[in-house]
Amino acid sequence: MNIPRTARRTVTRAATAAALATALGLGAVPTATATAPAAAPHAVRTPGTDPHGGWHQDGLRLKAADNRKVDAFVARARRAERSISPQVRAIARISHAELIGFDQRLKSPDSLKRKVATRMHASPGQSVDTSLAMINDAVRYTLQWPAGKYSQGVHTAAGLLSAWGNDSTRWSNTWNRTNGYKGINSAWRAPRSGQLFEVQFHTPQSKAAQLQTHKLYEEQRLPGTPPARVRELQEQQNAIFAAVPVPAGAERLTAPAHRVADPSRHRPAPDPARRLPAPAHVPVG
């Protein structure tokens, strides 16, 4: 994906703040809800926490020490989200995206603990620290465009994420798959906090298919699900995603080119009164 030269420039913190202030002044971002998260507690108490400080749910378990580490991870993610969300909301506005499920931008403690415990169960001997380092969706967002505007929207949004200092760490484009999930799942590392966060790029049809298959996917990944049932669940998911139309050019979308900072060259901050430049047109035919 070719990103305009202006979108590849390394920006200072002051320039980023100015650009965000200008972008956020363009108007409200269409979201399902836009509530701020509650302040993070020192320890996250959940229904699955036992008297000794461990955690258990659906046959999965975490020892007390591991549970405390996940709680600390949750608290760090909640603090980092406060500086990530303004960028994502601005990007949604600039790229004309709908920001889906904004009130669910923080993965729940139980969901994170299930994910960590599942990985430790599947890989005996794997530490909780290693499992946590693999999680990139404790903070997560979904941007959605109509199919006809999808490829241009993704191009613009990903370019701005990169230009505003976020490093691309994962880019999974599955639009060209014959079976299974359709969409783009990307992961980024925020410049200030170092927090990993996920941004999914969807159309209304692909998002609806994801929601429809969620319970099937959750059952499929449980440790006790029999192999025959796993195959049956996958076939059901394949059938649902097979009906999702592929937007023109979607299968060719790639992550922005890696930014290389050049500390020897000083670039002046943009004028805060100016709007960000319009994105270059991306041919999708």
Side-chain angles (χ1 to χ4, degrees):
M1 177 169 60
N2 295 322
I3 305 297
R5 183 166 55 186
T6 53
R8 293 198 301 264
R9 292 178 179 171
T10 302
V11 293
T12 64
R13 289 185 179 179
T16 299
L20 282 172
T22 302
L24 287 171
L26 295 178
V29 178
T31 60
T33 60
T35 56
H42 292 293
V44 181
R45 301 294 295 178
T46 65
T49 304
D50 62 40
H52 303 290
W55 175 90
H56 58 88
Q57 190 179 85
D58 296 331
L60 298 167
R61 294 184 176 274
L62 291 174
K63 296 179 181 178
D66 292 342
N67 191 37
R68 287 194 296 271
K69 287 188 175 183
V70 180
D71 285 340
F73 179 87
V74 169
R76 288 194 300 272
R78 289 183 174 181
R79 289 193 298 269
E81 177 272 333
R82 297 168 190 164
S83 62
I84 299 170
S85 285
Q87 283 197 10
V88 176
R89 294 186 70 194
I91 286 167
R93 178 64 185 177
I94 293 169
S95 66
H96 305 289
E98 184 177 1
L99 186 52
I100 302 296
F102 187 64
D103 59 328
Q104 298 173 354
R105 60 194 178 278
L106 290 167
K107 202 174 185 73
S108 72
D110 269 341
S111 183
L112 282 167
K113 291 174 184 183
R114 284 169 57 89
K115 197 166 192 174
V116 169
T118 298
R119 285 179 171 170
M120 294 175 71
H121 181 273
S123 302
Q126 180 171 291
S127 71
V128 67
D129 297 299
T130 299
S131 298
L132 286 171
M134 298 168 63
I135 292 177
N136 56 32
D137 63 347
V139 181
R140 72 274 179 89
Y141 307 90
T142 298
L143 298 179
Q144 176 179 288
W145 298 266
K149 298 181 179 179
Y150 179 83
S151 292
Q152 177 65 60
V154 173
H155 170 75
T156 301
L160 285 170
L161 279 165
S162 179
W164 287 352
N166 302 286
D167 290 325
S168 174
T169 62
R170 179 173 179 262
W171 185 274
S172 176
N173 184 342
T174 58
W175 283 109
N176 59 354
R177 279 188 184 174
T178 303
N179 294 316
Y181 181 85
K182 295 289 194 302
I184 295 177
N185 286 9
S186 64
W188 307 79
R189 189 180 300 278
R192 292 177 57 188
S193 62
Q195 175 70 40
L196 290 173
F197 64 98
E198 180 185 76
V199 182
Q200 294 186 8
F201 301 118
H202 275 292
T203 64
Q205 295 85 356
S206 66
K207 183 61 180 177
Q210 182 193 45
L211 294 174
Q212 188 178 353
T213 58
H214 180 70
K215 288 186 178 180
L216 302 176
Y217 172 71
E218 288 293 326
E219 181 184 350
Q220 183 185 34
R221 69 176 185 169
L222 285 174
T225 304
R229 178 59 177 162
V230 169
R231 291 191 295 272
E232 179 185 355
L233 291 166
Q234 186 60 60
E235 289 172 359
Q236 293 177 30
Q237 294 175 70
N238 290 344
I240 293 169
F241 280 113
V244 175
V246 178
E251 71 280 4
R252 299 194 300 274
L253 290 167
T254 58
H258 181 66
R259 298 177 303 103
V260 179
D262 183 358
S264 65
R265 299 182 63 185
H266 173 71
R267 300 184 186 278
D271 181 352
R274 294 179 58 192
R275 293 190 176 187
L276 295 178
H281 176 69
V282 179
V284 295

